[in-house]
Amino acid sequence: MVKVKFCGLKRPCDIAWANELHPDYAGFVFAGTKRRVSDETAAALRRELDPSIPAVGVFVDDELPHMASLVKKGVIQLIQLHGQEEDALVQQLQTELGVPVIKAFSIANQDDIKRALESRADYILLDQGKGGTGKAFDWSLLKEIDRPYFLAGGLTPQNAAQAAKLRPYALDVSSGIETDGVKDRDKMTLFMTTLGVYRR
């Protein structure tokens, strides 16, 4: 059964809906502007989040001490890297913090897939562009994938079942479960029920 990550949670109601629907991961974004949360807000949201749902911190070329502080405070349980981070940093995070690392890759062609497969991260995340675009890349490029990966980019309740057939480790959805830039409980629910991973 494919796992699900709800990314870009930033309001108490987002957390309440996640607790109800119980995705496998919840994502807090510490980069950009649209979905960014402060360390303090993320800590408050983590306290409200079901303890059994791991929180993923999403970073872009951030400083190791900042990421480490969020791990050590229990705000996040996984680190997701969306910038130009090298394998050396990935290994340092794995060794020093002991948490799984997800490395995101922008996929436009087979060379991008090859580059992603060489990553030392625990998981790779395959996305369109720099992420957060709400657009999908050419899924036919995924035929050569032979390691667990998160699939992101343009996922919606309408194409979630099709995406699941590609056998990713997890589907990472954000804009596809939003209306007017904020999380939408009905879309979150439909995403889960479409996959058959949420049954009331």
Side-chain angles (χ1 to χ4, degrees):
M1 186 77 73
V2 67
K3 297 183 183 297
V4 174
K5 172 170 164 259
F6 285 163
C7 200
L9 305 183
K10 56 187 296 185
R11 303 175 300 168
C13 59
D14 299 344
I15 299 299
W17 299 334
N19 288 341
E20 175 189 345
L21 297 166
H22 215 280
D24 300 277
Y25 301 96
F28 299 142
V29 178
F30 298 94
T33 54
K34 187 175 181 182
R35 299 182 182 91
R36 185 175 196 144
V37 293
S38 67
D39 293 6
E40 294 73 24
T41 296
L45 295 174
R46 171 71 262 191
R47 287 192 292 272
E48 296 301 316
L49 183 65
D50 186 320
S52 67
I53 302 175
V56 182
V58 179
F59 304 92
V60 176
D61 299 317
D62 209 324
E63 299 294 327
L64 191 149
H66 178 225
M67 295 185 278
S69 70
L70 289 165
V71 170
K72 292 173 181 175
K73 292 175 183 175
V75 178
I76 58 174
Q77 288 68 53
L78 295 91
I79 290 175
Q80 181 173 317
L81 304 173
H82 263 269
Q84 302 301 311
E85 302 90 357
E86 301 289 340
D87 270 343
L89 176 62
V90 170
Q91 290 180 281
Q92 192 174 4
L93 291 169
Q94 292 166 326
T95 302
E96 295 185 13
L97 302 180
V99 297
V101 176
I102 305 165
K103 181 69 179 84
F105 292 87
S106 174
I107 304 300
N109 53 51
Q110 208 63 52
D111 287 340
D112 295 330
I113 295 287
K114 183 175 181 292
R115 189 164 53 90
L117 291 175
E118 293 170 351
S119 173
R120 292 181 178 271
D122 298 276
Y123 300 101
I124 52 175
L125 182 147
L126 309 179
D127 204 344
Q128 191 272 346
K130 293 182 179 179
T133 64
K135 297 178 181 178
F137 61 91
D138 181 1
W139 288 351
S140 69
L141 295 169
L142 298 171
K143 295 175 182 176
E144 306 301 318
I145 297 289
D146 59 357
R147 61 177 287 184
Y149 69 96
F150 283 69
L151 177 60
L155 294 173
T156 67
Q158 287 68 41
N159 66 12
Q162 179 188 355
K165 291 178 181 178
L166 299 168
R167 295 177 173 260
Y169 170 76
L171 299 178
D172 189 328
V173 61
S174 186
S175 61
I177 49 172
E178 292 178 349
T179 297
D180 297 328
V182 294
K183 293 296 182 280
D184 182 313
R185 181 180 179 274
D186 290 341
K187 289 182 180 179
M188 294 166 80
T189 303
L190 183 58
F191 194 91
M192 297 295 275
T193 53
T194 297
L195 293 170
V197 293
Y198 171 65
R199 301 180 183 88
R200 293 206 67 165

